[in-house]
Amino acid sequence: MTLEEALQDEVRLTRDQNLTSIQSYLLAEEAKHPQATGSFTWLLSAISLSAKFIAARCRRARIEAVLGATEGENVHAERQQKLDVIANETLLRCLGSRPVVSIIASEENEEPLILRQSEPGDIRPYVVLFDPLDGSSNLDVCGGVGTIFSVLHHDRRSDAPENSVLQPGTHQVAAGYVLYGPSTVLVMTTGNGVQMFVLDPSIGSFLLVDPQVRIPDGTKSYSLNEAYVNSFPEGYQRYLEWTKNNGYSQRYVGTMVADVHRVLMKGGVFLYPPTDKAPQGKLRLMYEANPMSFLMEQAGGKAYSGTQRTLEIEPEKIHERTSVIMGSPSEVDRVLSFLQ
Ligand code: P6P
């Protein structure tokens, strides 16, 4: 092949693969809704901006010596990693500057933040919940960490603004995560399937790599922390025993975003059952299980907390926990069959 032919191939390939940034994707989606005000697009672009900033800090963690725990603890009495605090501040600053967010609930803050009291005619339609740096304890070992977010409409009828946060997962209008790994991946849904973007650090832009992510089915793989097997409810123990005799593989990072992303890409099931230490399960309903469940269902998967569909759980507390079973539909059904 001559240089000329190779260049022609390059041009054709580029033309065939449209380069779509997350901003142009969001604007194109917004254009499909004439009544759209642009506030939703603005909100999601704030999350993408935060993700770029957090990704840059994670990439330089050891260099900037921001590793290591602070003296502080979060609401769950977990020692806060410095990057936890930086990620939380980043999201608060980016979202706080958008005149479309009324309330923010973060894993790192005991109470939700009421950004602005909505006055009559002063519409601030959205509530945003997030885990700013999920799995941050993996930072010290250069493991994958992530940000998880969930977006709800601000329910003005609620008696107190903070109760506007306590809506079931079926009310989410958007959800997603950012995985800070060898590359930085942003996966999101607005209820119209699941889209995946990868950050191109050379131009500082998230580029669309899959406009319609679908979870594979039939993968013989499960992901959970098997060290707690003796304290799992009996149905989970029988499922795990069954997998041992049916050719399954086990993968587990210990960061929900990394484990769920692998299941979304390869299929299988991610589990965090109830344990003696966490009888309700360890993962948080509002800003971990619900956004991930929304994504899973939009990608053709299933998501349950025990035998209940996660998205239908009526929340009572912002930081409440739940057990998690999510992944390929047939594998989730198989786990449920052992729990019946
Ligand atoms: P364990 C990280 O601390 C986290 O909240 C999730 O990201 C992860 O799935 C889970 O806890 C890991 O918990 O008990 O296996 O260390």
Side-chain angles (χ1 to χ4, degrees):
M1 176 185 287
T2 66
L3 177 60
E4 184 59 28
E5 286 164 338
L7 283 173
Q8 281 307 322
D9 271 3
E10 181 63 21
V11 166
R12 189 167 43 253
L13 185 66
T14 309
R15 197 185 310 120
D16 293 349
Q17 289 176 340
N18 289 335
L19 278 186
T20 305
S21 73
I22 191 167
Q23 276 69 22
S24 43
Y25 176 82
L26 293 172
L27 289 171
E29 286 302 300
E30 180 188 311
K32 294 175 188 171
H33 306 283
Q35 77 286 2
T37 61
S39 50
F40 195 53
T41 302
W42 203 357
L43 187 156
L44 292 174
S45 70
I47 289 175
S48 130
L49 175 61
S50 307
K52 292 181 205 173
F53 186 87
I54 295 166
R57 301 304 293 265
C58 286
R59 263 201 309 277
R60 293 174 47 84
R62 188 65 78 181
I63 298 166
E64 290 182 354
V66 293
L67 279 182
T70 62
E71 58 297 329
E73 286 188 344
N74 65 14
V75 293
H76 314 285
E78 292 164 348
R79 293 198 44 80
Q80 279 188 315
Q81 300 287 331
K82 287 178 187 168
L83 262 170
D84 261 344
V85 177
I86 292 171
N88 198 43
E89 300 290 316
T90 302
L91 282 154
L92 293 178
R93 280 172 34 214
C94 288
L95 288 166
S97 67
R98 313 276 158 156
V100 293
V101 180
S102 282
I103 300 174
I104 288 181
S106 165
E107 182 200 34
E108 301 300 335
N109 300 97
E110 181 102 26
E111 299 301 327
L113 304 175
I114 317 295
L115 288 181
R116 298 171 184 82
Q117 293 296 347
S118 296
E119 292 81 34
D122 192 358
I123 301 295
R124 285 170 171 73
Y126 297 112
V127 173
V128 183
L129 305 93
F130 53 74
D131 179 355
L133 207 61
D134 171 58
S136 53
S137 53
N138 278 324
L139 274 169
D140 285 334
V141 296
C142 197
V145 294
T147 297
I148 312 172
F149 65 90
S150 171
V151 183
L152 297 164
H153 276 302
H154 178 32
D155 179 357
R156 239 170 291 287
R157 293 161 308 167
S158 52
D159 50 352
E162 52 273 16
N163 291 341
S164 173
V165 175
L166 296 177
Q167 299 178 45
T170 47
H171 289 193
Q172 293 174 100
V173 291
Y177 60 80
V178 184
L179 174 57
Y180 310 104
S183 60
T184 300
V185 179
L186 190 155
V187 176
M188 62 172 241
T189 181
T190 57
N192 176 26
V194 173
Q195 291 74 46
M196 181 158 75
F197 303 84
V198 175
L199 179 64
D200 180 340
S202 64
I203 59 172
S205 196
F206 277 106
L207 299 182
L208 182 68
V209 295
D210 190 342
Q212 201 64 253
V213 176
R214 302 297 293 171
I215 186 169
D217 208 355
T219 306
K220 290 187 164 187
S221 173
Y222 67 91
S223 177
L224 91 166
N225 187 335
E226 215 150 359
Y228 310 135
V229 66
N230 293 337
S231 78
F232 292 156
E234 189 259 340
Y236 292 96
Q237 294 180 359
R238 285 193 294 108
Y239 167 70
L240 291 171
E241 205 174 302
W242 180 87
T243 60
K244 303 290 181 287
N245 304 309
N246 285 275
Y248 275 60
S249 68
Q250 192 264 5
R251 294 282 183 278
Y252 193 69
V253 172
T255 294
M256 184 187 198
V257 172
D259 285 317
V260 169
H261 184 66
R262 184 193 52 254
V263 170
L264 186 63
M265 294 295 105
K266 304 282 187 189
V269 66
F270 171 75
L271 303 149
Y272 206 109
T275 63
D276 295 345
K277 204 167 89 173
Q280 301 305 317
K282 174 181 182 184
L283 302 176
R284 288 76 167 185
L285 172 65
M286 298 304 294
Y287 42 78
E288 290 177 337
N290 270 345
M292 291 306 207
S293 299
F294 188 16
L295 284 163
M296 271 297 167
E297 291 195 358
Q298 284 290 313
K302 287 190 173 183
Y304 277 72
S305 297
T307 54
Q308 182 178 11
R309 182 182 172 225
T310 302
L311 293 182
E312 291 173 354
I313 296 176
E314 288 291 343
E316 289 163 16
K317 293 196 296 292
I318 289 172
H319 299 295
E320 75 181 63
R321 299 172 187 265
T322 185
S323 61
V324 165
I325 307 166
M326 60 172 68
S328 304
S330 62
E331 202 57 34
V332 170
D333 286 343
R334 191 189 316 283
V335 176
L336 294 175
S337 70
F338 282 90
L339 301 187
Q340 303 304 347

